[in-house]
Amino acid sequence: MGETGPTRSQSDLAEMLELLLDKGVVINADIVVTVGETELLGVKLRAAIASFETAAQYGLEFPEGTDMKRVEEAAGVEELPESETVTVGVSPDGEEDDEAAASDEEGDDEAEASDEDDEADGEEEKAEAKAEAEAEHDGD
Amino acid sequence: MADSEFEEGRYLYCVVDAGTDEDATGFSEAGIDGGSVSVIVHDGLGAVVQSCDSPFDSDDLGRVREWLLTHQSVVDAAGERFGTPLPFRFDTILKGDDDAVMEWLSDQSETLETHLDDFAGHWEYRVGVAWDEDRVQDELEADDEKLAELRGKVDEAGEGTAFLLEKQYDNRLRDLRRARQKELTARLSDGLDPLVREFEVLDSNRGVLDSDDSNTPDEVVQVAFVAHEDREEEIGELLDEVAADPGIEIRFTGPWPPYSFAPELDA
């Protein structure tokens, strides 16, 4: 921290803006207008702040001087690539069989051909490996 | 709940103690969507308001964000001028004109005064603690025999057993890490206890921005509290002590209006 007092930097604003949506004094009375959509709005806003791509879509702009690195961190942007990896890692489960089945059809021809196809497409190689694995299983 | 139909209303930013400020009504700020902000004073209580004929609602999030920023800056200005404000939630609107606001102030004077007195000189502060994950892992391994043992086994094990051992290692690490997180939280709350009131450990799963995996991924403990402004330095010193530990970084923000600790008013 280095210095002893509290700070109020631009980068702390995102946190405060969120507080405005669901904190602060609430009045429960008929003389007060309540906005049903406010909560929804809050959710949308949060989603937008959370994802920079979404934020860009909504034209959400941060004021000049905002510490973008921190906002990006706050938005969890660094997490995105990871979650994408997860998605990619998960989805082949569904496709695996198809792929394997597809290469099964072409079968051995391709497996042999690929030796000459030096450094063939990585995906193809994987598919073939799976096909071979499947074949072994079938043998069992 | 309340009807959202109205012809004339007053958007309410905050209520302040205008008691000693003879020129309280002279307070003016630029409000949401360029409206003008004024203070309606009744018996020492000031309502910081802006006239409006409908709630502020939009699908344009950039616009909403501007509104929130404006709201915050008006409350800040009011706080600077009148001392700790009672900050209202975004889009709180009193139906009616200035007289209706006056009437509301008069009806609620006792409650509002109690809360204002309670918060006088006090603000909300927020602290986030981040630690260096690699360092923590190394330290835990150095301190915990079981974890070190598992690490050794993982390194020696063959492919098949390594997977299970790694799982055990991860579980052990997660438990130890959680324990350390608790220790750190306890250290903060014990240290801050005599200096603050209304201390709250923020639920890491609450808002997107509050969750510890999205709001600065490294922040393992986040707390909010209300403290008297005169305590800032002492609190800072305490936090400096905590931050003196290698690998620990602390973010100490404030003073903010006491949003997180604001009361509910039944009237």
Side-chain angles (χ1 to χ4, degrees):
Chain A
M1 203 164 61
E3 50 190 88
T4 305
T7 61
R8 284 185 51 147
S9 64
Q10 282 277 46
S11 57
D12 299 318
L13 265 179
E15 195 181 0
M16 296 321 293
L17 296 189
E18 184 173 330
L19 287 187
L20 284 177
L21 293 170
D22 59 5
K23 300 284 181 178
V25 182
V26 177
I27 311 174
N28 301 311
D30 286 345
I31 51 154
V32 176
V33 177
T34 55
V35 184
E37 272 79 7
T38 305
E39 295 228 350
L40 254 182
L41 214 65
V43 171
K44 275 196 279 180
L45 184 68
R46 263 167 236 164
I49 294 173
S51 154
F52 254 67
E53 281 177 21
T54 321
Q57 277 171 21
Y58 283 112
L60 199 64
E61 283 179 352
F62 290 83
E64 270 183 33
T66 301
D67 179 347
M68 290 312 288
K69 188 171 177 293
R70 215 197 90 82
V71 176
E72 277 169 29
E73 282 170 1
V77 166
E78 289 178 351
E79 304 266 315
L80 284 182
E82 253 180 63
S83 60
E84 274 171 24
T85 312
V86 171
T87 320
V88 172
V90 167
S91 64
D93 273 351
E95 291 160 25
E96 204 170 292
D97 296 332
D98 295 347
E99 257 180 49
S103 17
D104 249 352
E105 280 168 28
E106 294 171 44
D108 298 344
D109 297 352
E110 240 208 11
E112 277 160 48
S114 76
D115 286 338
E116 289 159 289
D117 263 354
D118 61 2
E119 308 299 307
D121 209 340
E123 275 182 30
E124 246 180 284
E125 277 180 11
K126 268 187 213 161
E128 279 154 22
K130 278 171 200 156
E132 277 171 24
E134 288 267 308
E136 275 172 40
H137 276 292
D138 290 347
D140 292 341
Chain B
M1 269 284 296
D3 190 357
S4 68
E5 292 298 312
F6 64 101
E7 280 172 10
E8 184 166 25
R10 296 290 180 269
Y11 181 97
L12 182 58
Y13 290 90
C14 56
V15 169
V16 296
D17 177 6
T20 55
D21 194 329
E22 283 175 12
D23 186 34
T25 47
F27 177 86
S28 83
E29 283 286 320
I32 292 175
D33 270 356
S36 64
V37 175
S38 60
V39 182
I40 297 173
V41 180
H42 175 82
D43 215 4
L45 282 171
V48 177
V49 299
Q50 160 178 354
S51 20
C52 63
D53 52 16
S54 68
F56 294 106
D57 192 3
S58 168
D59 282 335
D60 180 348
L61 292 169
R63 205 160 165 225
V64 174
R65 197 173 184 287
E66 282 304 312
W67 292 342
L68 292 171
L69 281 168
T70 307
H71 181 110
Q72 166 67 14
S73 73
V74 168
V75 176
D76 268 348
E80 222 162 273
R81 168 85 178 257
F82 301 103
T84 311
L86 269 187
F88 285 74
R89 188 174 297 186
F90 176 72
D91 239 348
T92 298
I93 296 161
L94 293 168
K95 278 190 264 187
D97 56 9
D98 286 1
D99 289 341
V101 175
M102 203 86 90
E103 204 174 307
W104 175 74
L105 284 175
S106 157
D107 280 353
Q108 295 300 307
S109 62
E110 210 175 305
T111 316
L112 292 170
E113 267 165 23
T114 306
H115 289 301
L116 275 174
D117 285 351
D118 192 39
F119 280 120
H122 291 73
W123 301 86
E124 177 169 340
Y125 298 88
R126 299 167 81 81
V127 170
V129 187
W131 66 30
D132 179 341
E133 284 295 343
D134 291 343
R135 193 179 181 110
V136 166
Q137 193 167 339
D138 288 348
E139 283 174 11
L140 290 174
E141 244 175 59
D143 292 347
D144 186 71
E145 269 178 37
K146 194 173 166 199
L147 191 67
E149 196 185 309
L150 282 168
R151 161 56 62 204
K153 280 187 185 165
V154 168
D155 291 344
E156 287 166 21
E159 236 174 83
T161 45
F163 175 75
L164 284 175
L165 286 164
E166 263 170 39
K167 248 197 146 148
Q168 285 178 30
Y169 176 88
D170 287 346
N171 287 343
R172 180 74 185 163
L173 180 64
R174 195 192 57 215
D175 290 349
L176 291 170
R177 197 180 164 282
R178 210 172 275 168
R180 180 176 273 225
Q181 204 172 344
K182 260 192 178 166
E183 255 170 54
L184 187 58
T185 309
R187 188 175 166 198
L188 267 185
S189 78
D190 291 349
L192 288 171
D193 187 60
L195 303 172
V196 312
R197 49 170 232 224
E198 300 204 64
F199 176 91
E200 183 183 67
V201 177
L202 299 176
D203 178 357
S204 55
N205 293 321
R206 195 175 297 154
V208 164
L209 296 176
D210 276 349
S211 80
D212 65 12
D213 59 2
S214 54
N215 185 13
T216 55
D218 299 336
E219 276 188 6
V220 287
V221 178
Q222 291 180 322
V223 300
F225 51 85
V226 172
H228 196 277
E229 55 199 7
D230 292 346
R231 297 283 203 175
E232 270 180 20
E233 208 177 309
E234 280 171 272
I235 293 166
E237 281 164 8
L238 175 96
L239 295 173
D240 277 344
E241 275 172 39
V242 178
D245 279 12
I248 295 273
E249 262 183 55
I250 288 194
R251 188 174 57 94
F252 176 28
T253 75
W256 306 105
Y259 290 116
S260 305
F261 303 92
E264 245 180 61
L265 304 181
D266 288 314

